[in-house]
Amino acid sequence: MAYLELENVRKEFNNSVAVENFNLKVERGEFVSFLGPSGCGKTTTLRMIAGFELPTSGAITINGVDMTDTPPNKRNVGMVFQAYALFPNMTVADNIGFGLKIAKRPADEIKKRVKEMLDLIHLPVKGDSYPYQLSGGQQQRVALARALAFQPQVLLLDEPLSALDAKIRVELRSEIRRIQQQLGITTIYVTHDQEEALSISDRIVVMSAGKMEQVGTPFEIYNFPQTSFTASFVGQLNLLPVTVSDAEGRRCAFNGRALAVGQPIRFANGASVRLALRPEELNLGGASGDSQRNELTGAVESVNFLGSVVRIRVDVGGATISIDLFNERQLVLPKAGEQVTVNFPAESCWVME
Amino acid sequence: MRRFPLWSWFWFLLGTLYFFLPLLGTLNFSLRIRRDVLSLDAYNNALTDPEFIRTFVFSNQMAVMTILVSILLIVPTAYWAHLRLPQVRPALDFITLMPFVIPAIILVFGLIKTYSRPLTVFGLPVVPPLTNTVFSTNILLIFGYTVLCLPYMYRSVDNGLRAMDVRTLTEAAQILGAGWPTILFRIILPNLRTALLSGALLTFSIVVGELTLATFLARPAFGPYLALLGNHKPYEPFALSLISFALTWVAMGIIQFVTRGSGQGQLAGGH
Ligand SMILES: Nc1ncnc2c1ncn2[C@@H]1O[C@H](COP(=O)(O)OP(=O)(O)OP(=O)(O)O)[C@@H](O)[C@H]1O
Ligand SMILES: [Mg+2]
């Protein structure tokens, strides 16, 4: 049996469904992210695991114990909130020790544990500070320490980084991952930032409109999206309107040009579908006769320099596609309006509705 | 170069004079109990009158009780409204403003009319008339004062709660294992410190000077004493009103000091 299980969980608010058919098994020590657009039910699901919302139907078990109706203060679950939610009237040390104090642990044990936690979050000298004396990033570290200090069975984080600026965000997310791995704590992390989810998770649950779209490792989610929602929500995706010309032989037609498709095509000949393709799979230049590569031509619309990559947008007639090139010094970039040929390997593209 | 803000100073001085001249007049008068010399005799007389001490102590007791009752009544109510029933907050705002609309004289007659008979359930008396004994009349007085001070106490607490994220703080405490008493006493009340203090001091200065309720419930309070004194002593009432004025100022000074001193707006403020 998995460590944390959600079985057929469903939540309605005044007869409108916020979450449905939610089935998830999380192994002990696993880091799972809920990823999806605003309003898709991530927070609601997390709050049901915490006990702040009761599922309309379904069951939640932690370590084999049915927790579905257990109140939050009896669940032994740690939670980190988007707004930090540190107690303003207490010092950092008192905040971190709060859970242990509630559990009536001896004072010297609390003191020792608080010190360990302060070291863990790299703020060893801030114990006597008050929350308002800390930066946002430091406050969120303290909130993390507070959630972990009483050794909860599961750690829940609801967009813990979204109130911080970009640089701190990246720094703190790897810190969260480091601490999570060091303690081996089972963790659920809610975010709408795909880069965040891809970079720190063992597995990702992609959600949309209250339902699970796909569950898988970041590698699977990015490279083998199973629904068009996942494909377009995670990462950039080019979608070309094409017609299936030979399903058996895996061929499509775009503006009279035949394109080879790597994956099997599950549509009938003549069906209007879309060819999906990641921007980083495209290259400038012709296919030079390689039958496993496809060619498209068009006029350059724009060239955007994004740092480590350069994004070129090309109007290929009826559709605009993005091409991401790694930034190299010897790169010769086309100019806007210039006519270019681009190519991509057949196995990198797939067909969807 | 910036022009000297002449008009600002003019209005400021005018305001100051308007405010302080009567006070100075009162002060001057209160020092003239002896012909041709300034003396503190009026203050001495006033403060050593045993009646003064009795009524002042009584009013202070009533004020402390009123503050306790108000806090016990208002903090849980306002907290629950913030946490679970935001839709009742407009109604609470309205109800707590009623004492501004309904004169104290109407309140006190209502109280007397209702509680000078036994409370009955199905015709059987369950609570004897509250006006029968001194002790139960004091209770009536305290609850009357609580109503009178609702606008101040409720508004302070409401502002204090507004200034903190009640829901998230509650949930953060809950998930760490805290039950309701812990949340209320360890998280909510400490963060309402300054709000409660300013509510309490306002309540205090109102109760100590209150006249109507105490007069009609015939309790030996400071307000009626002061009024009575005014009727047959020339100098002492002025000395006492200056003293109570000073007390009010001290109370306001404490509010100012604490709300400022609590630092960086982290503790929920009273105004
Ligand atoms: N207390 C509530 N009462 C009524 N409806 C609610 C309540 N909480 C959430 N909902 C609804 O449930 C749906 C899911 O909300 P939820 O907060 O879980 O979304 P989310 O994925 O966390 O979004 P975001 O990324 O914006 O935080 C939304 O349509 C929301 O309006
Ligand atoms: Mg959310």
Side-chain angles (χ1 to χ4, degrees):
Chain A
M1 198 180 199
Y3 193 66
L4 167 66
E5 281 200 33
L6 283 85
E7 231 178 296
N8 265 320
V9 168
R10 175 186 180 86
K11 178 69 187 178
E12 291 172 17
F13 289 110
N14 325 314
N15 296 324
S16 84
V17 179
V19 177
E20 60 184 328
N21 282 333
F22 204 98
N23 286 287
L24 180 68
K25 290 182 199 302
V26 181
E27 293 305 325
R28 191 175 207 134
E30 208 181 359
F31 192 118
V32 174
S33 291
F34 293 173
L35 175 64
S38 188
C40 71
K42 308 180 293 289
T43 298
T44 304
T45 311
L46 198 77
R47 289 172 60 81
M48 287 192 282
I49 303 174
F52 294 129
E53 306 283 358
L54 293 182
T56 311
S57 63
I60 296 169
T61 53
I62 300 175
N63 201 9
V65 180
D66 186 341
M67 290 280 181
T68 316
D69 299 317
T70 311
N73 56 349
K74 301 274 187 297
R75 284 201 184 194
N76 197 21
V77 164
M79 184 151 173
V80 176
F81 299 82
Q82 182 177 344
Y84 322 138
L86 295 178
F87 306 128
N89 55 316
M90 296 182 199
T91 62
V92 165
D94 287 344
N95 265 283
I96 297 176
F98 188 80
L100 294 165
K101 206 162 174 187
I102 299 286
K104 301 210 163 59
R105 306 289 264 281
D108 48 341
E109 184 197 323
I110 297 179
K111 208 168 157 196
K112 189 163 149 273
R113 182 79 184 145
V114 166
K115 193 181 169 310
E116 276 171 30
M117 297 315 294
L118 284 169
D119 288 339
L120 188 71
I121 57 169
H122 298 320
L123 291 175
V125 296
K126 293 287 186 190
D128 294 329
S129 305
Y130 279 87
Y132 70 86
Q133 297 170 317
L134 304 182
S135 71
Q138 290 172 332
Q139 288 190 47
Q140 200 55 302
R141 279 165 208 252
V142 174
L144 181 66
R146 180 180 67 177
L148 290 169
F150 68 111
Q151 289 164 314
Q153 294 179 291
V154 177
L155 175 65
L156 308 174
L157 304 104
D158 191 357
E159 311 210 19
L161 305 179
S162 54
L164 302 169
D165 46 276
K167 201 157 175 221
I168 310 280
R169 211 150 58 207
V170 173
E171 215 175 276
L172 204 48
R173 79 179 185 218
S174 40
E175 189 117 327
I176 290 175
R177 178 59 160 162
R178 169 184 70 80
I179 291 171
Q180 183 268 334
Q181 284 179 322
Q182 192 174 330
L183 303 179
I185 185 162
T186 313
T187 301
I188 308 284
Y189 188 99
V190 162
T191 179
H192 59 250
D193 181 338
Q194 39 146 324
E195 191 195 317
E196 215 166 274
L198 290 169
S199 67
I200 55 175
S201 318
D202 291 317
R203 280 193 300 156
I204 296 174
V205 179
V206 181
M207 296 178 63
S208 141
K211 295 197 192 68
M212 306 168 85
E213 286 279 332
Q214 187 173 348
V215 184
T217 63
F219 187 84
E220 288 165 349
I221 296 284
Y222 191 86
N223 291 315
F224 306 102
Q226 275 156 18
T227 63
S228 54
F229 176 84
T230 307
S232 49
F233 188 76
V234 182
Q236 291 281 323
L237 194 67
N238 290 308
L239 291 168
L240 278 183
V242 296
T243 323
V244 178
S245 48
D246 178 3
E248 192 91 338
R250 300 183 185 176
R251 300 218 161 248
C252 291
F254 174 71
N255 287 348
R257 190 190 281 269
L259 299 174
V261 180
Q263 328 291 325
I265 297 176
R266 293 191 198 84
F267 297 93
N269 286 346
S272 288
V273 292
R274 292 183 299 170
L275 188 74
L277 177 65
R278 299 272 184 210
E280 66 270 22
E281 302 283 1
L282 286 142
N283 277 306
L284 287 177
S288 43
D290 185 343
S291 66
Q292 284 312 300
R293 292 189 89 83
N294 298 308
E295 249 183 41
L296 293 169
T297 55
V300 173
E301 258 183 13
S302 63
V303 178
N304 287 315
F305 189 76
L306 304 177
S308 59
V309 295
V310 182
R311 176 160 302 161
I312 303 169
R313 291 170 63 78
V314 177
D315 181 355
V316 290
T320 301
I321 56 170
S322 298
I323 304 163
D324 285 354
L325 300 177
F326 272 115
N327 176 21
E328 289 161 13
R329 282 163 195 244
Q330 66 272 27
L331 206 60
V332 182
L333 293 172
K335 301 217 162 19
E338 205 172 300
Q339 204 68 21
V340 291
T341 306
V342 298
N343 71 82
F344 57 94
E347 76 264 19
S348 70
C349 61
W350 68 94
V351 163
M352 52 193 220
E353 298 180 67
Chain B
M1 230 184 79
R2 260 190 77 212
R3 239 156 37 92
F4 181 71
L6 186 70
W7 284 107
S8 313
W9 278 103
F10 172 76
W11 291 116
F12 175 72
L13 281 176
L14 197 71
T16 312
L17 286 180
Y18 179 78
F19 194 75
F20 278 102
L21 274 182
L23 278 179
L24 279 176
T26 311
L27 179 66
N28 187 26
F29 184 75
S30 72
L31 297 174
R32 288 187 185 279
I33 191 166
R34 276 197 254 159
R35 193 183 281 269
D36 298 332
V37 257
L38 295 181
S39 75
L40 289 172
D41 285 5
Y43 291 83
N44 194 26
N45 293 349
L47 293 180
T48 49
D49 180 0
E51 196 61 10
F52 160 78
I53 296 169
R54 205 165 74 89
T55 56
F56 194 67
V57 167
F58 176 81
S59 279
N60 275 288
Q61 286 169 339
M62 292 298 107
V64 169
M65 290 309 295
T66 305
I67 289 166
L68 284 181
V69 171
S70 306
I71 289 176
L72 286 178
L73 176 74
I74 290 170
V75 171
T77 311
Y79 170 63
W80 203 250
H82 270 262
L83 189 67
R84 292 290 152 83
L85 298 167
Q87 67 273 21
V88 309
R89 275 168 60 191
L92 280 180
D93 283 346
F94 180 75
I95 291 171
T96 55
L97 282 178
M98 292 308 277
F100 281 159
V101 187
I102 299 175
I105 186 82
I106 294 184
L107 174 68
V108 72
F109 276 114
L111 285 174
I112 291 173
K113 209 160 162 45
T114 310
Y115 292 104
S116 58
R117 317 176 253 217
L119 280 185
T120 56
V121 177
F122 299 121
L124 295 169
V126 280
V127 180
L130 286 181
T131 47
N132 276 8
T133 68
V134 165
F135 177 74
S136 56
T137 312
N138 284 349
I139 293 180
L140 208 53
L141 186 63
I142 289 166
F143 279 90
Y145 283 156
T146 305
V147 171
L148 275 192
C149 298
L150 263 184
Y152 308 97
M153 195 51 123
Y154 176 77
R155 221 129 286 267
S156 294
V157 171
D158 188 55
N159 283 338
L161 288 169
R162 246 181 252 265
M164 61 173 139
D165 187 346
V166 170
R167 192 173 124 155
T168 321
L169 286 182
T170 302
E171 289 181 348
Q174 265 182 314
I175 202 80
L176 290 166
W180 292 117
T182 314
I183 295 173
L184 218 53
F185 286 102
R186 300 265 273 279
I187 311 291
I188 302 300
L189 277 178
N191 285 305
L192 282 177
R193 273 213 301 272
T194 45
L196 288 179
L197 186 70
S198 68
L201 289 175
L202 284 170
T203 302
F204 186 84
S205 42
I206 288 166
V207 169
V208 168
E210 207 281 334
L211 177 66
T212 318
L213 251 59
T215 306
F216 284 93
L217 287 172
R219 300 305 302 134
F222 186 58
Y225 167 72
L226 206 57
L228 198 68
L229 199 65
N231 288 341
H232 41 238
K233 291 254 177 92
Y235 296 96
E236 285 79 355
F238 292 95
L240 279 185
S241 42
L242 273 183
I243 289 172
S244 55
F245 202 76
L247 278 180
T248 310
W249 273 47
V250 168
M252 305 223 301
I254 294 175
I255 297 175
Q256 282 297 321
F257 179 75
V258 173
T259 32
R260 177 130 26 108
S262 66
Q264 290 71 29
Q266 274 304 301
L267 289 174
H271 294 280

